[in-house]
Amino acid sequence: MSPKATAGMVGALALLLIVYVLTSFLEKSAEEDLVQAKRLFQFEPEDITMLTITRKDAVEVEAVRMANGRWSVEKPELHIPPNIEVWNRVAAALAHLPNERTIEEDPQKLSLYELDEPRLRILAGTSSSELIQLDIGSLDPSVSFVYARVAGGPVVLIPIADVHEMDRSLDELRNVHVFAGARDGDTIGHVEYALVFRGPEKTDDDGNVTGYRIGDLSQQVILDLLPTEGWRMLEPVEARANKEAAENLAAELTFMVGRNYVDRPESYADYGLSPPDRQIVFGPKNGPWRTLLLGDAAEEKDGGGMFAQIKNNPSVFVVDGHILTLLPRNPNAFRDLRLFTDRSAVLTGVSIQTKRETVALHLDEDKGWTVAEPAIDDADQVTISAFIAMLKRVTGAAFPLDDVGAGFDAPHVTIEMNYLDDPKPHSIVVGALVPNSDPAEFYARMEDGTVTTVPLPIMEMLRTNSFHFRKKAVFEFPIEEATGIELEFRETQYLLSKEEGRWIVIEPVGRSLESQSDATALLEVLSAASALDVASPRPSDTAMGLDAARLRAIVTLNDGATIHGPLRVGNTKAPESRDRFATLKGRDEVFYMKQSLLDDVATVIEGIVPSN
């Protein structure tokens, strides 16, 4: 194509584009002109300063727009908080209301349109001192439009969608959010909770009240949201707050809505609000705060829930009874009882220092969790992860007033947790036995320095050892590589050899296997031999009884290339115990193993029978 032809085509396309844009603009402008021409009113929504909504067989509702642009309800009660968004939508629908078609210029019989007693009447005042009355009647046959009339004017059709925007009940026009700032995006940062004393009062012989008076508050629980620490308890003691409990309560208060409003109750006692049962003060951290009073349970016919009232506002309403499950059941219920703070930072190391040893766990980018001190190569990832998860859940049981005699200078265990990008270790300490505690408890110092107590089982779980983090199958081996078994059991020597893929019994002489599976079963029992714990300090040789072991086992692998064992199992650690001492060549520890290992061996060797 020649340059001249190409230029001509480009020019033609540009001309078509200009025509298209111009046509679209004119069409849009024409549509806007038509919309403007069809409008019943020429004022804008922000020009409306007063609205009155009168629905047939319903209370009249009126609000005025304040200088700051917000609405204030005038009828039926001044104390009703307005739903600003809904009032703005009513104003917008009225200001932009179109006349879809004029039906009758000078109507003589308004009853034909149900305009003699309109279903809905809207009165509006504007900033230019106009007063508009819009009466709304019945649906037209198409059911898409509604008959309407403006203050003695013609009967017109208006869209039913606009009618729905203006036809609002009192419940829709009031702000039913208990937290006034919910719609403005405010955040609850302060909560105070207390029970209210409802009697009976105790008096002396002269009639003087000697205890709580009706209406007095119990011990308050006060929570504050701090920018860096999160939720903190200020009363009854200053301490970390339970993050989950505080957040759940704050969320419930943020989104709580009222229903079944009674704006002028005859008696607050009928609702359990004179005095109330509970009181919650809440709001943004720096205010303003409001006080929610909770009374009796509402009846099922009212949808259940709790009767409630905002202090200094006469209206009574019902809120969801779920709030009761989130309130503290005792003064310390919202206290964070965990010894360690829940952190979102990455944990990189844990150090456990006991009177016996120091164990250091380290998170390696490639290997995962390892035991760095003492250095071992068979760390059990599952056990380490479970221990760390337990650390984050451990809670205190009680809170002594001081730490005199707590034994933190010579503790049973000190645990430090190290986090990424945080050079300071975070530690807890478990000290001395609490005198006269039954069941036994030990003093503990939480991460933030608070003194608490933990029960004996928790102390024992924290005072762990390096073996706890090792794999417990200490005699494990690849069964398929086994080529020989040497066993001393119940004063009998057993020797089995695998030859040409089949197991044969060398000793005792004259014995054989009932089935090849019996040899496999014996290997499975031995490979699964697991240690429960290590004996520390090391018992005496006499106590362990390993010189005359109840079981001695050696497994040969790969035709003698590897000798696995011997594993020796001796005496029980106590007369009534089923745990036995055991040692394994190549390991320094003395283990505890279950009696069931010997029982299983005894069962399996029953398959070694006299040869035919």
Side-chain angles (χ1 to χ4, degrees):
M1 183 179 292
S2 67
K4 184 176 181 180
T6 302
M9 182 175 291
V10 171
L13 289 174
L15 180 60
L16 287 173
L17 181 60
I18 293 171
V19 171
Y20 172 76
V21 171
L22 181 60
T23 302
S24 298
F25 173 78
L26 292 174
E27 288 177 352
K28 184 177 181 180
S29 178
E31 289 176 2
E32 292 177 353
D33 289 344
L34 180 60
V35 169
Q36 290 295 325
K38 291 171 66 174
R39 284 180 61 175
L40 280 173
F41 311 111
Q42 298 308 308
F43 52 80
E44 296 302 321
E46 57 270 20
D47 296 329
I48 297 176
T49 58
M50 182 274 292
L51 281 170
T52 303
I53 300 174
T54 306
R55 308 172 84 204
K56 197 171 184 179
D57 301 324
V59 63
E60 183 177 88
V61 186
E62 180 176 301
V64 296
R65 196 196 298 265
M66 311 299 288
N68 60 5
R70 300 180 73 88
W71 293 91
S72 174
V73 175
E74 299 286 309
K75 295 180 183 179
E77 300 291 346
L78 290 170
H79 62 260
I80 296 175
N83 186 331
I84 305 297
E85 180 182 342
V86 172
W87 282 102
N88 285 337
R89 289 173 62 176
V90 173
L94 178 64
H96 296 145
L97 192 64
N99 173 9
E100 292 295 337
R101 184 156 59 94
T102 299
I103 300 300
E104 190 174 355
E105 289 286 354
D106 187 18
Q108 299 300 310
K109 198 170 184 180
L110 294 176
S111 59
L112 293 174
Y113 313 104
E114 294 188 24
L115 289 168
D116 53 335
E117 295 182 7
R119 298 181 178 183
L120 176 66
R121 172 170 288 171
I122 306 292
L123 292 178
T126 71
S127 56
S128 59
S129 300
E130 292 180 89
L131 184 62
I132 291 91
Q133 175 181 314
L134 174 67
D135 291 341
I136 297 172
S138 60
L139 284 167
D140 83 327
S142 73
V143 303
S144 295
F145 300 97
V146 178
Y147 296 111
R149 189 181 187 215
V150 179
V155 175
V156 299
L157 287 179
I158 60 175
I160 191 171
D162 291 318
V163 174
H164 288 158
E165 281 290 273
M166 297 183 291
D167 189 9
R168 300 289 188 168
S169 67
L170 175 58
D171 283 342
E172 293 176 285
L173 293 164
R174 78 161 79 233
N175 185 357
V176 296
H177 282 84
V178 176
F179 176 42
R183 287 181 173 271
D184 298 328
D186 290 340
T187 300
I188 292 178
H190 182 86
V191 178
E192 301 176 10
Y193 170 74
L195 295 172
V196 182
F197 184 67
R198 304 172 91 178
E201 296 175 338
K202 295 182 179 180
T203 58
D204 57 20
D205 295 338
D206 297 326
N208 299 313
V209 177
T210 58
Y212 278 117
R213 296 179 180 273
I214 292 176
D216 283 352
L217 299 181
S218 67
Q219 171 65 64
Q220 286 186 289
V221 175
I222 301 179
L223 308 172
D224 227 20
L225 181 60
L226 303 182
T228 54
E229 297 182 42
W231 284 99
R232 190 161 184 83
M233 177 184 285
L234 303 183
E235 293 287 347
V237 294
E238 187 170 354
R240 293 195 316 258
N242 184 308
K243 176 183 176 182
E244 182 179 359
E247 287 182 349
N248 287 342
L249 178 57
E252 183 75 10
L253 292 170
T254 298
F255 301 109
M256 179 184 286
V257 295
R259 53 182 169 84
N260 300 354
Y261 278 80
V262 180
D263 291 314
R264 283 293 176 186
E266 295 181 2
S267 170
Y268 288 102
D270 294 341
Y271 305 95
L273 290 165
S274 182
D277 183 49
R278 304 158 193 264
Q279 172 178 299
I280 309 172
V281 178
F282 64 99
K285 176 176 172 55
N286 297 317
W289 302 336
R290 60 172 38 194
T291 302
L292 175 67
L293 308 176
L294 296 178
D296 292 343
E299 297 181 6
E300 288 300 323
K301 65 182 180 64
D302 295 318
M306 305 294 301
F307 288 116
Q309 178 190 8
I310 299 297
K311 190 173 183 179
N312 299 325
N313 187 308
S315 297
V316 172
F317 50 92
V318 176
V319 296
D320 194 324
H322 179 61
I323 183 69
L324 293 183
T325 67
L326 303 177
L327 295 172
R329 299 178 182 273
N330 60 68
N332 274 321
F334 270 38
R335 185 171 187 168
D336 190 349
L337 304 179
R338 292 170 299 179
L339 302 192
F340 276 111
T341 306
D342 182 27
R343 296 177 182 273
S344 58
V346 177
L347 183 66
T348 58
V350 178
S351 171
I352 306 136
Q353 302 168 35
T354 67
K355 295 178 180 179
R356 291 177 293 184
E357 65 176 338
T358 295
V359 181
L361 308 177
H362 174 70
L363 182 61
D364 185 274
E365 291 184 2
D366 299 321
K367 299 178 182 179
W369 282 103
T370 63
V371 181
E373 182 185 349
I376 60 175
D377 57 5
D378 59 347
D380 188 333
Q381 296 285 325
V382 174
T383 301
I384 295 175
S385 296
F387 180 78
I388 292 172
M390 181 271 295
L391 280 181
K392 295 180 178 180
R393 294 194 306 268
V394 169
T395 58
F399 294 90
L401 296 178
D402 55 54
D403 60 355
V404 176
F408 294 143
D409 53 342
H412 284 287
V413 59
T414 299
I415 298 179
E416 292 184 351
M417 298 179 80
N418 295 281
Y419 296 89
L420 188 66
D421 299 327
D422 187 353
K424 177 186 175 184
H426 301 265
S427 64
I428 62 170
V429 179
V430 179
L433 176 70
V434 177
N436 303 317
S437 57
D438 186 18
E441 290 187 352
F442 290 77
Y443 289 105
R445 189 167 62 210
M446 304 170 78
E447 179 187 359
D448 65 355
T450 302
V451 178
T452 184
T453 64
V454 294
L456 173 61
I458 295 297
M459 190 278 289
E460 293 289 2
M461 290 171 64
L462 297 174
R463 191 181 58 177
T464 187
N465 54 45
S466 58
F467 177 76
H468 178 72
F469 303 110
R470 304 186 72 169
K471 292 180 179 178
K472 304 304 184 293
V474 295
F475 199 55
E476 187 177 21
F477 55 85
I479 293 174
E480 65 278 3
E481 296 179 11
T483 55
I485 305 172
E486 182 180 335
L487 206 67
E488 292 181 18
F489 184 65
R490 292 180 177 174
E491 301 180 352
T492 300
Q493 177 85 22
Y494 295 88
L495 183 61
L496 284 73
S497 178
K498 191 174 186 179
E499 299 180 3
E500 297 181 354
R502 292 183 59 82
W503 285 95
I504 62 172
V505 179
I506 307 298
E507 294 184 16
V509 177
R511 297 288 181 116
S512 62
L513 292 166
E514 268 190 321
S515 169
Q516 288 292 302
S517 63
D518 291 326
T520 302
L522 179 57
L523 290 169
E524 289 175 344
V525 168
L526 294 175
S527 182
S530 298
L532 301 173
D533 202 350
V534 292
S536 180
R538 186 184 182 92
S540 67
D541 292 343
T542 302
M544 292 189 291
L546 294 172
D547 290 339
R550 304 301 176 94
L551 171 67
R552 178 180 177 275
I554 297 176
V555 176
T556 303
L557 305 175
N558 298 318
D559 293 324
T562 303
I563 305 298
H564 197 57
L567 170 69
R568 290 184 172 87
V569 181
N571 295 337
T572 57
K573 66 179 183 180
E576 301 299 322
S577 175
R578 286 182 57 82
D579 297 340
R580 291 183 175 274
F581 296 110
T583 60
L584 177 64
K585 185 177 180 179
R587 297 283 293 265
D588 296 331
E589 306 98 325
V590 174
F591 306 113
Y592 293 125
M593 285 191 171
K594 289 185 177 180
Q595 166 67 30
S596 58
L597 171 61
L598 275 62
D599 298 338
D600 292 341
V601 170
T603 299
V604 172
I605 63 174
E606 289 178 359
I608 300 177
V609 296
S611 302
N612 292 330

